[in-house]
Amino acid sequence: MRKSFVIPLAVAAAGALALTGCVSSTGGGGDSGSDKPAAGEKVIIGAVMAETGFMSPFDTPALNAAKIKVDELNENGGIDGQEVELKVIDSGSDFEKYAPAAQSLLDDGAKVLLVTCDYDTAVPASQVAEQNNVLNIAPCVGDTIYGPAGGLNIGFSMGNAVPGEASIMAEFAVEKGWKKAVFVKDDSIKYTQNQCETAAKRFTELGGTEIATYTFKQGDSIKETVSKITGGEAPDVVFNCSYGEGGGKAAKEIRDGGITTPVVSGFGMDGTFWLGAIPSLTDYYIVSYPSVWGDDSDAKVNDASAKYEEVYGERPQNGSMTTGDATIEAIKIAYEKAKSWDGDKLAGEFLKFKDVPLLVGPTSFSDELHVNVERPMRVLQVKDGGLAWVETRSPEKVLL
């Protein structure tokens, strides 16, 4: 796996509400550094993330949850007795804004930098943090490149990596008794390319048969592909490796074309924004983060989702909400061990994480992997126009 989860969606994100200790920033003066803030000063955590633009459907739930978590920390004494302030610059999903926004936040004194949920988009901001010895965290990047493989020695993702996600997709299908599969691969980004390739490899390794793999680009019609599928050997399952509106369009054309077999997708299809175009959709499964619909296997997730709804007036758009909460909690844990905001020292504490219980799930890091590949994920099912939890499962084998 080489690249990341770039998701060009034209989906409106939930508006971020201002909470106590959570402000927007357009830059300012000051120095970043590793020293403890003076008595009475706030600990600043910076965030260059997308509250608007194509990345906002995935960044916004994580960022909003981080805001809630910061408020909760401050109600309980902050970090080491000091109030925490989350300063946010909305990147607008504009690649050119990330580096200057990151520098602005570090100039304002940010001790840690949060970045958008995609390596390719976030890396300019992450590199600025690295150059200033500031810990940088992507709440939900899904690629193993976020870390040493991508040149980020003090960069970590709280997300679930694609190798584990894709393995679960394949293992779930085989366990259901689906032995013959067609893979429909969105070739526009590395995330979906890797997802389908890994799922196919794991599926065949488990004894399944790959009938065919068809490729398309985000937003393209796949009616011709559907005709090929219906005119060939009938599959037991279709893997729709896509995301967002384009993935929803592909799902609709699969069903409109008369293919009634079960369909399996990954995190890119988490959320209900695309379901309105496919009334009465059934036999559709999504492997993703914890369920935010009040039915998750972890009661803490259900409580957090309810709190999110109380604050923002609606449920999180998808399970990336759990990664924002986990990011702030992880920062607190690491600082309490390191007793320093020095990036190298904080990273050293992150590398000691071994199944640390966070809202997103048990979290571990290693010298080679700064993202989780074996963390349990959820299988969700489209049901009655929404998403419902089916099971929580870990990958039996991860193909790196």
Side-chain angles (χ1 to χ4, degrees), residues 8-225:
L9 304 176
V11 184
L17 305 182
L19 301 176
T20 305
C22 306
V23 302
S24 293
S25 169
T26 56
D31 295 316
S32 177
S34 60
D35 295 336
K36 181 177 178 178
E41 291 185 3
K42 296 178 181 179
V43 173
I44 298 174
I45 297 174
V48 184
M49 296 180 69
E51 295 178 300
T52 56
F54 67 81
M55 280 303 301
S56 62
F58 296 90
D59 278 11
T60 297
L63 182 57
N64 284 352
K67 293 176 180 180
I68 293 173
K69 191 67 173 181
V70 164
D71 275 357
E72 293 175 351
L73 280 185
N74 288 334
E75 290 170 1
N76 291 282
I79 295 179
D80 198 25
Q82 292 191 284
E83 186 177 350
V84 179
E85 180 179 355
L86 182 60
K87 285 194 173 185
V88 180
I89 294 181
D90 176 16
S91 69
S93 304
D94 184 344
F95 182 82
E96 299 298 327
K97 291 183 178 180
Y98 279 89
Q103 189 60 60
S104 177
L105 289 168
L106 298 191
D107 289 344
D108 279 352
K111 301 301 184 184
V112 177
L113 187 70
L114 311 188
V115 297
T116 206
C117 288
D118 163 55
Y119 172 81
D120 288 322
T121 309
V123 73
S126 305
Q127 289 173 340
V128 169
E130 294 272 330
Q131 292 161 6
N132 287 272
N133 193 33
V134 172
L135 183 75
N136 53 99
I137 305 176
C140 49
V141 162
D143 200 299
T144 55
I145 199 172
Y146 203 97
L152 305 177
N153 294 320
I154 55 173
F156 295 81
S157 172
M158 299 305 297
N160 296 329
V162 172
E165 173 186 311
S167 290
I168 292 173
M169 290 166 64
E171 290 162 3
F172 172 75
V174 170
E175 186 177 286
K176 295 289 285 186
W178 304 328
K179 298 179 179 180
K180 297 181 294 182
V182 165
F183 295 82
V184 180
K185 179 173 64 176
D186 188 334
D187 209 28
S188 59
I189 59 173
K190 287 293 183 180
Y191 165 72
T192 45
Q193 292 174 23
N194 293 331
Q195 183 187 78
C196 243
E197 289 163 10
T198 303
K201 184 176 180 180
R202 183 69 179 128
F203 185 77
T204 56
E205 184 179 76
L206 290 167
T209 299
E210 177 184 350
I211 296 174
T213 292
Y214 299 98
T215 62
F216 72 105
K217 298 291 186 183
Q218 174 73 190
D220 288 350
S221 171
I222 66 163
K223 289 181 180 179
E224 184 176 341
T225 292

Side-chain angles (χ1 to χ4, degrees), residues 13 23 78 144 156 172 201 223 226 241 256 274 292 341 349 353:
V23 302
T144 55
F156 295 81
F172 172 75
K201 184 176 180 180
K223 289 181 180 179
V226 170
C241 302
D256 288 349
W274 58 280
V292 296
W341 291 108
E349 295 304 325
F353 278 32

Side-chain angles (χ1 to χ4, degrees), residues 272-388:
T272 60
F273 60 89
W274 58 280
L275 294 179
I278 318 175
S280 305
L281 178 65
T282 59
D283 280 339
Y284 202 110
Y285 301 88
I286 297 167
V287 173
S288 187
Y289 291 97
S291 171
V292 296
W293 310 106
D295 60 353
D296 193 74
S297 54
D298 185 345
K300 292 181 180 179
V301 171
N302 297 330
D303 291 343
S305 299
K307 176 66 173 180
Y308 188 108
E309 185 174 20
E310 177 185 331
V311 173
Y312 295 103
E314 60 183 2
R315 287 272 166 174
Q317 288 175 278
N318 54 58
S320 71
M321 176 275 294
T322 60
T323 69
D325 180 289
T327 296
I328 301 301
E329 181 67 18
I331 292 170
K332 178 177 182 291
I333 292 170
Y335 178 82
E336 288 176 345
K337 297 287 186 179
K339 293 297 182 184
S340 171
W341 291 108
D342 177 87
D344 289 331
K345 292 179 180 178
L346 287 173
E349 295 304 325
F350 267 65
L351 291 175
K352 296 176 184 177
F353 278 32
K354 303 299 178 189
D355 292 328
V356 174
L358 301 177
L359 189 66
V360 69
T363 300
S364 303
F365 299 111
S366 69
D367 290 338
E368 296 77 22
L369 286 174
H370 289 192
V371 59
N372 282 252
V373 297
E374 297 182 347
R375 183 188 280 152
M377 297 187 71
R378 274 48 166 187
V379 178
L380 309 178
Q381 180 179 6
V382 175
K383 187 176 181 181
D384 299 326
L387 294 177

